[in-house]
């Protein structure tokens, strides 16, 4: 701990970062959420404000009712008095710049007040309006009878840029049940909603009725029907998740925020759907253990902690405090013992129970066996080499970022050397592919269509590079090196292809002495990395994830079939 | 615009980014704000939720009253009924994980309910409590008489980890006015507050009474007195700003969020003060033009727009929509005409009215004249060379990031070549300094104490590197090259130092043919950059900022005096 005398020296707080200062008096886009409070933070104005903030917009509120609720249920609802709602709305419209208004669960009074005030404004002075026609909250509470609410909402929607009903709300709005077996059915329903609500645009959300493709894959379709008669279909993987509380609020707020930033409607909806998918997929664990349903989604998955930035940045004087506090962090002696037993940090990583299965399926992959015995179809090998070429481009880029984060000048040198080697390897790939498969036009290599497996892998690298530490990056870059070496050692006895075969040459590359030297260096690097951080837990997660991405990369080569057209 | 037929092909929404997925079911730290709503979004639970979200925490609320207010004033206050507050608090404590509770403006009922519920919890099960003892809002509204409020707050604070009064609130709490002329006065007042409130720790905020240093610089001191009797003094530059609405709420929420992340109290406070300074310094413009006072601060200065990330990332399919929309962006023909008239983008940049004054004072800096005529004291030159050495390390790092963002393989090569050249130049610097100033131990160069001017410059580079585009980075890296060349051309006729002087050699380096070739290449690069982006406005801002940072770098060398001890 710090002592009184240590602390007599003041800790200097720095001036704001100059780059951020370029946006002095930033004209942040503004979004007002006109809705009900959910104190447990998963839905309502709370979810809206979180979403608006995560989208770098300025959030305003008009709270039309306060509920007492948690994911378990709603225990109380208190409506805001009409004159309070009027005073808030009038104040915001008078003194604040309101770019977009987003509505959620409403009261009758609030609906009437909003309709009245917006009707009185010239269309050019009117904020854009996004109506999320909430009939029943996920938690089952409602403020009014459905029929009544629908009528009220429909009195408002002729002023709206967009309404965002789900399939149940849509059927309530149009007044009858419809079967939804195809995209055409959804488009028809959305157009009907557009007719009834008189809203310029309608987004029909299909999240409640996932479809199953011939492959067995479950997917979700959302349909945007716009005023000009065009429509856009968004297709996404169905995420079975318990973290779905507040998804409707979040989607409408994300669309509103993107619109406030001046994005096109198609784009605003795309970004919002992706945001909600990420927030559901990542989820968050903030309820007590007895609460098992409707956990909240993760609105802040993309945000960086400001204090981390300050402490990691040499330019902030947070260091002074940090170094004082550092002495108190005890090194986990248990972990130290584990690595002593494993022999090296690499051995520790691959024997971690979270990593082991992914590492095993990676280094025992059938792709390598089929190369070793020559049974891999040549067109699959070509696909792989081309994807690998595109991968190397990304791999070099990530080494550039690694160099920028390197702790010593020697580490920078090493990264720069590796970048040079990667470029040489890319040259070799081009020669190999063009020579063996007879490709004349070198532009071919700039036009490789990246597979999903490659994109996924590349995105992971980029995320680690952007958000992670140098240590994280070193670990992320390791499996590609170590795994190829081990996979070939495993298959060495099975290499039966003739020595003049390209497959043979490929195998020998990863069995060569220079490659094994690289692996030894890689192990030494990992040993250094594990001394520099206490967070071995996240290093294990990264190692496991990359082994899995490597496996998927080879999977995709085995599964590859050329397109028919 | 998109046509119906174009859109029949669905737009695929991707699975969540895999790196983010490592935090599946993220145990986000949680903070509950127990306070009043400010619908205009600058203060109250709105500011709290924005701050908590910007700190990557999960926000919960308990709204004890709703105001109708804007920065202009408060028109209405409606208190939440006691049973609603009870139901909300009980629900959150029962079903949600509540790590920290932060209070703001309270009602009597709300104070009593909170005290009652927290008292009943075992200390180990009790959330940390941070009390911001709000007596009067910046906008002048209050919910109760000061005396009454103070008594209520003091009944709560024996349960609190921290209270965060400003100087007025502190004097109200201790019951008498005190002169605050020194840090010792502040420490004494904070200790008195600690005594009266029985709070474990007290942060006395000095923002309302800035002091003036002998140099005329205005600064602010905050004092943290902790339970163990230690104290920490935080000193920061006073920012005269109209954007101060909600600073108290924001500070306490930021501290609460940092505590929820498990930071030490000293660290949590440092990070929060810095966050508020940044948010004030950057500010935001969200009020209508007739509103001239107490504009809100910028809670989201550090946040990236999720959609930008999706569109810039090759791995997202947002591209499909983006390329459809790209056709609609008209090239600004007016700007094109301007650059045609200027001859090159470089000429356009330095003649821009925002850039010109900064560029002029940079390239006509007296530092260079004093080198040219030999009047610069040698110890200042040595200081400059050492700082410049440390600068080059950062400059190389930024070129690594630039390489990672480069659009073509050729650009990557160029960056890697430059990194090599910078390392050679650093070698030369070491030889120059060690030879001329007789330094034997090369460790000297690893221990250079970075000046504020250097830190500021380095931080700017890092921010552009992290947040900006490749084009932004190219522009940010340009003034260092171009300015040294022009500054020396300006002073060429004044070079009167003997040819065997180190000053002469320094001047000739930047007048050499190879350096001028570099400048020509630099101009060609800028011409390419301006073709690749429409956002010339921000490029001008960056150019101006870097010219200013270069000027400050030379200023600091001229102002340098060795420390006396």
């Amino acid at each position: 701990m710090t002592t009184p005398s240590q602390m007599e020296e003041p800790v200097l707080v720095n001036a704001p970062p100059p780059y951020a200062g370029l946006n002095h008096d930033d004209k942040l886009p503004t979004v007002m959420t006109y809705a009900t409070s959910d104190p447990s933070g998963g839905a309502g104005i709370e979810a809206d404000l979180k979403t608006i903030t995560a989208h770098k917009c300025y959030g305003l509120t008009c709270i039309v009712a306060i509920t007492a609720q948690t994911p378990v249920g709603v225990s109380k609802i208190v409506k805001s008095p009409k004159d309070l709602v009027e005073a808030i709305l009038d104040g915001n419209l008078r003194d604040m710049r309101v770019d977009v208004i987003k509505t959620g669960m409403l009261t009758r009074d609030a609906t009437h007040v909003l309709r009245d005030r917006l009707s009185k404004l010239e269309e050019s002075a009117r904020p854009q309006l996004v109506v999320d026609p909430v009939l029943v909250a996920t938690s089952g509470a409602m403020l009014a009878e459905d029929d009544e609410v629908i009528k009220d909402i429909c009195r408002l929607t002729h002023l709206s840029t967009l309404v965002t009903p789900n399939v149940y709300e849509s059927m309530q709005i149009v007044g009858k049940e419809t079967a939804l077996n195809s995209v055409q059915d959804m488009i028809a329903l959305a157009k009907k909603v557009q007719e009834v609500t008189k809203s310029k645009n309608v987004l029909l959300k299909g999240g409640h009725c996932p479809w199953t493709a011939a492959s067995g894959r479950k997917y979700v379709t959302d349909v945007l029907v716009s005023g000009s008669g065009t429509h856009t279909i968004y297709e996404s993987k169905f995420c079975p998740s318990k973290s779905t509380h507040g998804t409707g609020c979040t989607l409408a707020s994300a669309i509103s925020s993107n619109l406030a930033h001046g994005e096109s409607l198609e784009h605003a909806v795309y970004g919002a759907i992706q945001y909600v998918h990420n927030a559901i997929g990542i989820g968050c664990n903030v309820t007590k253990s007895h609460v098992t349903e409707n956990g909240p989604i993760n609105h802040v998955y993309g945000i960086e902690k400001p204090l981390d930035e300050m402490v990691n940045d040499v330019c902030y004087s947070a260091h002074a405090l940090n170094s004082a506090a550092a002495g108190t962090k005890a090194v986990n002696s248990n972990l130290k013992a584990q690595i002593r037993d494993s022999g090296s940090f690499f051995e520790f990583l691959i024997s971690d129970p979270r990593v082991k299965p992914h590492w095993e399926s990676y280094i025992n992959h059938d792709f390598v066996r089929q190369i070793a015995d020559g049974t891999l179809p040549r067109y699959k090998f070509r696909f792989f080499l081309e994807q690998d070429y595109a991968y190397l481009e990304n791999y070099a880029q990530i080494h550039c970022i690694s160099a920028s984060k390197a702790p010593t000048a020697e580490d920078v040198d090493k990264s720069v050397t590796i970048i040079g080697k990667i470029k040489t390897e890319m040259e070799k790939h081009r020669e190999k592919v063009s020579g063996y498969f007879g490709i004349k036009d070198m532009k071919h290599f700039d036009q490789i269509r990246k597979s999903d497996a490659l994109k996924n892998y590349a995105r992971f690298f980029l995320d680690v590079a952007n958000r992670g530490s140098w240590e994280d990056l070193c670990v992320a870059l390791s499996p590609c090196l170590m795994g190829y070496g081990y996979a070939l050692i495993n298959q060495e006895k099975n290499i039966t292809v003739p020595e003049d075969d390209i497959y043979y040459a490929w195998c020998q590359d990863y069995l060569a002495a220079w490659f094994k030297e690289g692996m030894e260096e890689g192990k030494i690097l990992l040993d250094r990395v594990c001394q520099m951080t206490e967070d071995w837990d996240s290093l294990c997660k990264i190692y496991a994830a990359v082994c899995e991405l490597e496996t998927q990369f080879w999977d995709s080569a085995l599964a590859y079939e050329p397109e028919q057209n």
Side-chain angles (χ1 to χ4, degrees), chain A:
Chain A
M1 274 302 296
T2 52
T3 67
S5 59
Q6 265 184 305
M7 282 293 115
E8 284 293 339
E9 182 82 6
V11 178
L12 293 179
V13 175
N14 306 69
Y19 184 56
L22 292 181
N23 301 319
H24 185 67
D25 263 350
D26 208 354
K27 276 215 165 198
L28 288 179
T30 67
V31 178
M32 177 165 78
T33 160
Y34 193 89
T36 299
S37 161
D38 169 4
S40 64
I45 62 134
E46 284 78 3
D48 294 341
L49 267 184
K50 291 174 187 186
T51 306
I52 295 163
T53 301
H55 281 75
K56 206 183 176 71
C57 288
Y58 182 90
L60 305 123
T61 65
C62 182
I63 301 174
V64 305
I66 301 181
T67 65
Q69 70 171 299
T70 69
V72 173
V74 179
S75 66
K76 240 182 220 316
I77 303 181
V78 176
K79 298 182 191 181
S80 302
K82 189 175 183 191
D83 62 343
L84 177 65
V85 173
E86 285 172 335
I88 292 172
L89 180 59
D90 291 344
N92 278 345
L93 290 176
R94 186 190 61 232
D95 295 338
M96 309 300 289
R97 177 163 49 76
V98 180
D99 298 332
V100 180
I101 299 177
K102 179 256 154 188
T103 68
M105 199 194 283
L106 298 175
T107 62
R108 295 210 81 168
D109 281 346
T111 313
H112 294 167
V113 170
L114 184 60
R115 179 177 190 236
D116 176 67
R117 298 309 197 264
L118 290 186
S119 308
K120 284 177 184 158
L121 291 173
E122 293 280 332
E123 195 172 344
S124 60
R126 201 186 295 151
Q128 291 195 68
L129 177 65
V130 174
V131 174
D132 181 25
V134 182
L135 298 181
V136 182
T138 312
S139 46
M142 61 183 82
L143 283 170
E145 289 303 311
D146 280 2
D147 275 5
E148 208 179 280
V149 176
I150 290 165
K151 274 186 212 147
D152 276 348
I153 288 172
C154 290
R155 283 194 197 100
L156 197 58
T157 45
H158 69 283
L159 299 165
S160 68
T161 304
L162 182 70
V163 285
T164 62
N166 59 33
V167 291
Y168 297 117
E169 290 155 356
S170 295
M171 291 180 196
Q172 292 280 342
I173 288 169
V174 304
K176 67 169 182 193
E177 299 246 327
T178 339
L180 293 175
N181 297 317
S182 69
V183 171
Q184 295 312 322
D185 290 345
M186 289 193 70
I187 295 172
L189 178 59
K191 287 195 168 166
K192 189 84 188 136
V193 171
Q194 194 180 25
E195 224 176 280
V196 175
T197 59
K198 300 194 182 67
S199 174
K200 275 195 208 77
N201 308 284
V202 173
L203 176 67
L204 173 57
K205 300 178 294 191
H208 287 84
C209 61
W211 289 331
T212 307
S215 65
R217 187 178 64 92
K218 278 194 157 187
Y219 66 100
V220 167
T221 305
D222 301 305
V223 171
L224 174 69
V225 168
S226 75
S228 53
T230 64
H231 56 262
T232 312
I233 305 152
Y234 302 92
E235 202 173 90
S236 44
K237 207 178 136 192
F238 177 66
C239 311
S241 167
K242 285 178 179 172
S243 296
T244 57
H245 183 55
T247 47
C249 307
T250 301
L251 185 77
S253 295
I255 296 172
S256 301
S257 302
N258 286 335
L259 287 176
H261 274 293
E263 300 291 344
S264 71
L265 185 60
E266 288 83 359
H267 232 135
V269 171
Y270 173 87
I273 293 174
Q274 179 73 57
Y275 175 76
V276 171
H277 269 257
N278 294 352
I280 294 175
I282 292 155
C284 66
N285 177 349
V286 295
T287 52
K288 293 213 167 146
S289 53
H290 66 272
V291 180
T292 53
E293 277 172 8
N294 282 327
I297 64 177
N298 193 325
H299 291 99
V300 297
Y301 70 86
I303 289 175
E304 307 277 337
K305 285 180 271 177
L307 187 56
D308 275 4
E309 197 180 307
M310 293 167 202
V311 171
N312 291 329
D313 180 349
V314 292
C315 312
Y316 278 97
S317 49
H319 285 278
L321 279 170
N322 199 41
S323 46
T328 62
K329 269 192 191 169
V331 175
N332 189 326
S333 55
N334 197 19
L335 282 177
K336 287 249 156 173
Q338 274 181 277
I339 182 171
R340 208 177 42 229
D341 296 345
S342 305
S344 76
F345 191 54
F346 165 70
E347 297 291 340
F348 171 81
L349 283 170
I350 60 169
S351 53
D352 181 275
R354 285 161 298 186
V355 180
K356 201 171 169 39
H358 299 289
W359 169 257
E360 295 290 339
S361 54
Y362 168 32
I363 63 163
N364 294 305
H365 204 283
D366 212 42
F367 178 78
V368 181
R369 191 194 50 78
Q370 292 188 23
I371 290 183
D373 65 15
T375 54
L376 183 76
R378 302 282 147 168
Y379 67 92
K380 296 194 181 199
F381 185 67
R382 175 179 169 171
F383 171 81
F384 164 76
L385 276 188
E386 289 176 352
Q387 293 295 314
D388 201 40
Y389 176 84
Y391 168 83
L392 286 174
E393 202 169 357
N394 179 252
Y395 198 61
Q397 182 190 23
I398 301 305
H399 277 284
C400 293
I401 303 181
S402 176
S404 80
K405 297 195 176 198
T408 71
E410 205 185 319
D411 293 313
V412 177
D413 284 347
K414 276 190 189 163
S415 293
V416 171
T417 308
I418 294 172
I419 296 164
K421 280 189 188 166
I422 295 170
K423 294 186 70 75
T424 311
E425 200 176 340
M426 287 174 74
E427 224 27 79
K428 279 191 196 162
H429 263 64
R430 287 162 78 123
E431 284 166 22
K432 227 179 257 180
V433 176
S434 58
Y436 193 83
F437 295 104
I439 288 158
K440 301 257 150 53
D441 186 359
M442 285 301 151
K443 272 192 189 157
H444 176 78
F445 296 96
D446 301 330
Q447 293 162 350
I448 294 167
R449 193 164 146 197
K450 292 175 181 168
S451 70
D452 284 348
L454 171 57
K455 283 186 188 175
N456 236 16
Y457 199 164
R459 192 178 339 142
F460 185 86
F461 269 163
L462 265 181
D463 283 346
V464 178
N466 290 334
R467 301 185 200 177
S469 61
W470 180 74
E471 293 85 347
D472 290 345
L473 257 179
C474 289
V475 166
L477 292 167
S478 166
C480 175
L481 173 68
M482 306 304 284
Y484 273 59
Y486 277 83
L488 266 300
I489 290 167
N490 284 348
Q491 293 298 335
E492 195 167 5
K493 59 180 181 305
N494 299 327
I495 300 177
T496 53
V497 283
E499 292 195 13
D500 60 348
D501 194 306
I502 191 173
Y503 286 5
Y504 186 85
W506 186 84
C507 291
Q508 293 308 322
D509 271 351
Y510 301 107
L511 289 165
W514 65 266
F515 193 83
K516 285 181 176 154
E517 277 162 32
M519 287 166 70
E520 284 312 308
E521 269 192 52
K523 283 183 189 176
I524 293 166
L525 177 65
L526 289 182
D527 282 341
R528 234 182 95 214
V529 161
C530 87
Q531 305 290 341
M532 295 173 68
T533 172
E534 287 297 299
D535 192 6
W536 292 7
D537 199 55
S538 76
L539 298 185
C540 287
K541 285 187 187 169
I542 290 172
Y543 218 86
V546 178
C547 289
E548 182 56 31
L549 289 163
E550 284 284 354
T551 304
Q552 288 171 5
F553 196 78
W554 278 341
D555 283 348
S556 74
L558 283 188
Y560 172 72
E561 294 299 336
E563 283 175 33
Q564 294 304 318
N565 53 348

